[in-house]
Amino acid sequence: MPLPLAIHEQDRLLSLNVNEEPAIDLGHLIPGMKLWPLFLDPDNGTWVLYAHYAPGTQLPKHFHTGAVHFFTLKGTWGYKEYPQDMQTAGSYLYEPPGTVHTFHIPDDGEPVEGFMVVSGVNVVFDDGGNYLSTDHAGSMEQIFLDAAQQQGIDMPRYIRPSGPAAFTA
C-alpha cells in the first residue's frame, strides 16, 4: 500500500532542550516567573511551556476556556482556592475547561519547575474579580518576543506548527 499523498516530509525531528535554550524572564509581569516557550500554535490555541517559578510567586486569578495539563518536576505549589491539594514533584494536574484559580508558591518554599500544555484562553482577573486581560498562544508569543528583545537576548527556538492561512498552490 503506498503512503498517503498528504504526508509531511521532514529531514529531522522537531525537538527542543530547555538546557540549551535561554529562559524568558517575565519578572516584569509576574515577579519570579521564567518561561521557555516550546510550542506556540495561535491557529489552534495551544501553548506548551516549561516554567520556573521562584518562592513567593503568585499569578493573578484566572479562568481557563480550555484544558490545562501541568506536570510538576520540582518544588511545591498550589491554588489558593484549594489549599488542601498542594502539588509536589511528580504531580500531574489536569484542569478541565471552566476552572478558576490563583496559582501560588509559598514564600518559604523552594523554586518550582514544571511543564504545561494549555488550550484556549486564560481570562485574567484582579483580586476584586474585575477583568484585566486575556492570554492565549498568540498573545504569549508576542509577550515572549517583546521580553527577549527588551532583555537583549535571542528569542529561544520554539515550535510553531503553522503560519498565516493561505490558499494551496
Side-chain angles (χ1 to χ4, degrees):
M1 174 178 249
L3 290 174
L5 294 176
I7 62 170
H8 295 281
E9 297 288 336
Q10 63 186 72
D11 59 352
R12 61 180 300 184
L13 294 177
L14 298 173
S15 176
L16 299 167
N17 186 325
V18 297
N19 297 314
E20 297 171 1
E21 300 295 332
I24 301 294
D25 187 340
L26 296 177
H28 64 289
L29 298 173
I30 306 287
M33 182 171 70
K34 293 181 182 179
L35 299 174
W36 286 257
L38 301 174
F39 179 93
L40 301 173
D41 184 356
D43 291 343
N44 293 299
T46 302
W47 24 316
V48 179
L49 310 172
Y50 187 82
H52 174 94
Y53 301 104
T57 300
Q58 180 170 307
L59 301 180
K61 181 179 281 193
H62 55 280
F63 167 82
H64 292 284
T65 66
V68 176
H69 304 265
F70 193 105
F71 185 79
T72 304
L73 294 164
K74 297 179 184 176
T76 299
W77 65 276
Y79 291 128
K80 289 196 164 201
E81 297 79 7
Y82 307 98
Q84 72 281 10
D85 293 324
M86 297 299 285
Q87 302 298 297
T88 59
S91 295
Y92 163 72
L93 175 67
Y94 171 70
E95 301 171 13
T99 60
V100 177
H101 42 250
T102 309
F103 174 99
H104 80 100
I105 299 169
D107 292 333
D108 61 351
E110 60 184 285
V112 167
E113 290 188 24
F115 173 81
M116 71 182 85
V117 178
V118 183
S119 298
V121 176
N122 289 1
V123 182
V124 182
F125 302 96
D126 66 14
D127 291 337
N130 300 300
Y131 168 82
L132 289 177
S133 64
T134 56
D135 295 317
H136 48 81
S139 68
M140 291 303 296
E141 185 173 42
Q142 191 61 53
I143 288 169
F144 288 130
L145 292 168
D146 291 346
Q149 184 179 33
Q150 290 171 358
Q151 294 166 31
I153 62 172
D154 290 334
M155 180 66 181
R157 292 181 319 138
Y158 60 95
I159 298 165
R160 191 175 201 277
S162 59
F167 290 107
T168 58

